[in-house]
Amino acid sequence: MKRSLSLKLIRVAAALLSFSALTYVFLGGHLTFFSEFGVIISKLQLSNSILRFITPGAIFGSGLIVILILTLLFGRVYCSVICPLGILQDVGIHLKKRLRNKKKKLRYSKPHHWLRYSILALVLVSPMFVGLAVVNKMDPYAIYARFAHAVIRPIGILSGNILNQVLYLFGLSGQHPQVLPEITSFTFTIAIVSIGIVMVFVLLKNRLYCNTLCPVGTLLGLLSKVSVFRIQIDEHSCTRCGKCLSGCKSHCIDSKSKTVDFSRCVACYNCISSCNDNSIGYRLAWRLPRSEKKPRFDPSRRDAITKGTLAMGFALTPTWIQTQGKDRGGAATTEEPGPVTPPGSISKQHYLSRCIACEECVSVCPSGVLQPAFLQYGLKGLSVPFLDYSKAECSYDCRRCGEVCPTGAILPLTLEDKQTTQIGIAHFRRRYCDIRTKGIDCVECEGACPTGAITMVPHRRGGLMPRINTDLCNGCGACEAVCPADGPHPAIWVEANTVHALALPGIKNQTT
């Protein structure tokens, strides 16, 4: 019993640690060991690991390998320890038990295989037709990440500001109040609806969502069938009392046949600690009985390994096909530039083929220029962040988005490389400039430009007008963000590079 309790305590402690670290990152925390641990956990998410694994020219497969090894050894521990949405469901299940006056007797539920595998097939095939639009709405990490950004973060900032005000009233010094992030109604609605659906499933049957709608759970469930260690019931000592079912979140224990559907088991270990007869345990499933001298052929094991391997290969194939020969920008394109993508995203094609719209980059962006898209990228890019220069500019000395991106959609850059990556080129609309509309000189764009790409030159009608050196412009948008023009559009604006280019080192940067 002590050993079973230890398993549960280790699982709970590891889950709380990873969940807290991830949430801390989404609250905007950085530059601490805790935040760096949160970034590591984000890169251990299955969808993120697969996308990083197929990133050309970079070795990002370690996360995927770790997940595969953990699953083949211990089953779906990923779902209870690493997946933030799974841990959030566990919190909801715990609160439901606390608030319920009468304990509900749990029973074994038959698996909905047709639904599980249909959704998995849809998610795996969809990248070939609609990009990652379906993936980023179904991925459990992305669902939690959007909820954390749109709901948890504003609540955290508001609570912190209220606490600072209370401390100030009592004569104690607090931190400076933070500005609440601007959350669009579309982003908020998507976040609330997604979490709402998950919580409805929690109220109905605990982890039912994980074993019906979640494609990650279904995919890992195929591999869990052949894991080395599995929950097993001793047929001789089991009395069929049903106590093991009282804590089973997945309703996967059939006490009548004394079997466990390990493809649905999320390795919470509640069943082990609830059994007074020690009849259920976490045991080496590949161990042979002493009477057997040779291993017997087990077709179910080979079948499960084959299905799991094929499914994992199928998961990698659609996005891999999408990205071959299109990422590095050698071929010409007639595609509309669209919104400006962050430095390190290489190209619009690379970015859209890997971003799952988790909005982690949005949470850590210090200027707030990164915003979730609505239809700026079209239907394929719903919720994918873009640089909105009407809000702010891409800070010249910041490269945080590349450091936290869990999928490889935004690659990490050195500060020097980031400053010379040309994500777009500034253009000038003289008809909207103050010198034409108001007859007054305005030098806002020149003062804001961090590279010296903008200089003011005499206008033939008198006054000064900006001139843009496109070789020096890196497309940061500082000029567009500060332009005070009263027209329907700013007088200076940045057109996105479909494929990122290289700008010359900034003159201002060299002289400072």
Side-chain angles (χ1 to χ4, degrees):
M1 185 64 71
K2 289 183 178 180
R3 182 180 298 178
S4 62
L5 187 60
S6 298
L7 278 175
K8 183 178 177 179
L9 290 176
I10 291 171
R11 190 265 302 171
V12 171
L16 290 176
L17 179 62
S18 62
F19 184 78
S20 301
L22 270 177
T23 305
Y24 179 71
V25 172
F26 282 110
L27 288 173
H30 62 284
L31 301 179
T32 65
F33 170 77
F34 200 52
S35 66
E36 294 305 318
F37 180 70
V39 171
I40 291 172
I41 295 296
S42 71
K43 293 173 182 177
L44 280 177
Q45 307 299 317
L46 183 62
S47 296
N48 302 347
S49 300
I50 290 174
L51 291 167
R52 291 178 75 84
F53 183 79
I54 63 173
T55 299
I59 302 173
F60 284 139
S62 57
L64 181 60
I65 293 170
V66 169
I67 294 171
L68 292 178
I69 291 174
L70 282 175
T71 306
L72 287 172
L73 282 176
F74 308 111
R76 286 172 57 182
V77 290
Y78 169 94
C79 299
S80 285
V81 176
I82 298 175
C83 176
L85 190 63
I87 300 168
L88 185 65
Q89 289 177 79
D90 285 347
V91 173
I93 293 168
H94 179 74
L95 292 175
K96 184 179 73 169
K97 286 182 178 179
R98 289 279 184 178
L99 296 174
R100 182 181 290 161
N101 295 326
K102 193 175 180 180
K103 286 189 177 181
K104 185 178 179 181
K105 188 177 179 181
L106 302 178
R107 295 180 179 178
Y108 171 76
S109 296
K110 292 182 179 180
H112 305 284
H113 287 318
W114 64 271
L115 181 59
R116 297 172 69 192
Y117 297 125
S118 296
I119 291 174
L120 178 61
L122 171 66
V123 171
L124 296 181
V125 171
S126 64
M128 292 188 287
F129 302 100
V130 293
L132 297 181
V134 175
V135 174
N136 66 36
K137 295 301 178 289
M138 297 293 293
D139 180 70
Y141 173 75
I143 290 173
Y144 173 76
R146 284 191 292 270
F147 177 72
H149 170 67
V151 180
I152 298 178
R153 189 184 182 207
I155 292 175
I157 292 175
L158 186 61
S159 301
N161 290 344
I162 292 174
L163 178 60
N164 286 331
Q165 285 294 106
V166 172
L167 291 175
Y168 178 77
L169 291 175
F170 284 94
L172 301 173
S173 60
Q175 296 180 348
H176 293 290
Q178 297 184 53
V179 179
L180 285 171
E182 184 176 339
I183 307 296
T184 65
S185 57
F186 171 72
T187 300
F188 184 79
T189 302
I190 289 291
I192 290 295
V193 169
S194 300
I195 287 293
I197 291 172
V198 174
M199 289 304 158
V200 167
F201 275 83
V202 168
L203 291 173
L204 292 174
K205 281 192 177 181
N206 297 337
R207 284 289 198 111
L208 182 61
Y209 174 85
C210 297
N211 291 318
T212 52
L213 298 187
C214 180
V216 172
T218 302
L219 188 59
L220 293 178
L222 288 171
L223 294 175
S224 298
K225 287 183 177 182
V226 293
S227 60
V228 177
F229 295 95
R230 284 175 246 166
I231 302 291
Q232 293 180 316
I233 299 175
D234 188 338
E235 294 183 6
H236 301 292
S237 60
C238 176
T239 60
R240 295 182 182 177
C241 65
K243 288 183 179 179
C244 53
L245 269 172
S246 62
C248 182
K249 300 171 184 175
S250 300
H251 301 255
C252 63
I253 300 176
D254 188 352
S255 57
K256 292 182 179 180
S257 62
K258 300 181 181 180
T259 57
V260 179
D261 182 357
F262 207 60
S263 70
R264 292 186 290 153
C265 174
V266 294
C268 66
Y269 311 128
N270 290 349
C271 57
I272 303 176
S273 58
S274 63
C275 181
N276 296 327
D277 301 319
N278 292 325
S279 298
I280 188 167
Y282 201 47
R283 301 186 180 100
L284 182 63
W286 287 8
R287 183 174 56 189
L288 295 171
R290 292 180 182 178
S291 60
E292 295 184 8
K293 296 181 180 180
K294 295 182 180 180
R296 291 183 299 179
F297 171 69
D298 185 357
S300 63
R301 181 181 298 174
R302 186 184 69 177
D303 210 32
I305 292 176
T306 303
K307 287 180 181 178
T309 306
L310 287 175
M312 191 61 70
F314 196 27
L316 292 169
T317 301
T319 310
W320 180 82
I321 291 174
Q322 273 195 312
T323 57
Q324 292 310 295
K326 298 180 182 178
D327 282 342
R328 295 300 175 180
T333 179
T334 58
E335 187 180 13
E336 291 293 327
V340 182
T341 61
S345 58
I346 301 178
S347 66
K348 181 180 175 182
Q349 170 64 34
H350 172 97
Y351 186 54
L352 292 181
S353 67
R354 285 165 176 78
C355 179
I356 61 168
C358 68
E359 300 179 19
E360 191 167 345
C361 56
V362 178
S363 296
V364 300
C365 180
S367 67
V369 66
L370 276 169
Q371 294 293 321
F374 179 47
L375 293 175
Q376 285 85 347
Y377 294 110
L379 291 175
K380 290 184 178 181
L382 284 174
S383 302
V384 173
F386 72 104
L387 296 177
D388 186 355
Y389 293 140
S390 66
K391 308 291 183 187
E393 80 284 353
C394 180
S395 300
Y396 191 64
D397 295 325
C398 174
R399 51 194 179 94
R400 186 68 177 150
C401 56
E403 293 174 338
V404 302
C405 179
T407 67
I410 308 173
L411 298 178
L413 300 175
T414 64
L415 186 58
E416 182 181 357
D417 288 341
K418 187 265 184 183
Q419 292 172 346
T420 55
T421 296
Q422 190 182 69
I423 58 179
I425 297 176
H427 297 274
F428 177 53
R429 298 185 184 102
R430 64 177 61 198
R431 64 183 179 277
Y432 295 131
C433 188
D434 281 357
I435 192 64
R436 292 287 297 273
T437 59
K438 300 177 183 178
I440 59 174
D441 287 336
C442 172
V443 294
E444 291 288 343
C445 54
E446 182 191 33
C449 180
T451 66
I454 299 176
T455 55
M456 305 305 292
V457 297
H459 184 243
R460 56 187 176 83
R461 296 181 183 178
L464 299 174
M465 267 195 172
R467 174 187 290 169
I468 301 169
N469 184 340
T470 56
D471 291 333
L472 291 174
C473 178
N474 65 3
C476 69
C479 53
E480 182 178 340
V482 300
C483 181
D486 294 332
H489 304 286
I492 195 163
W493 62 285
V494 177
E495 181 181 22
N497 283 346
T498 303
V499 177
H500 292 182
L502 187 65
L504 295 176
I507 294 174
K508 286 187 180 180
N509 187 43
Q510 289 177 342
T511 57
T512 56

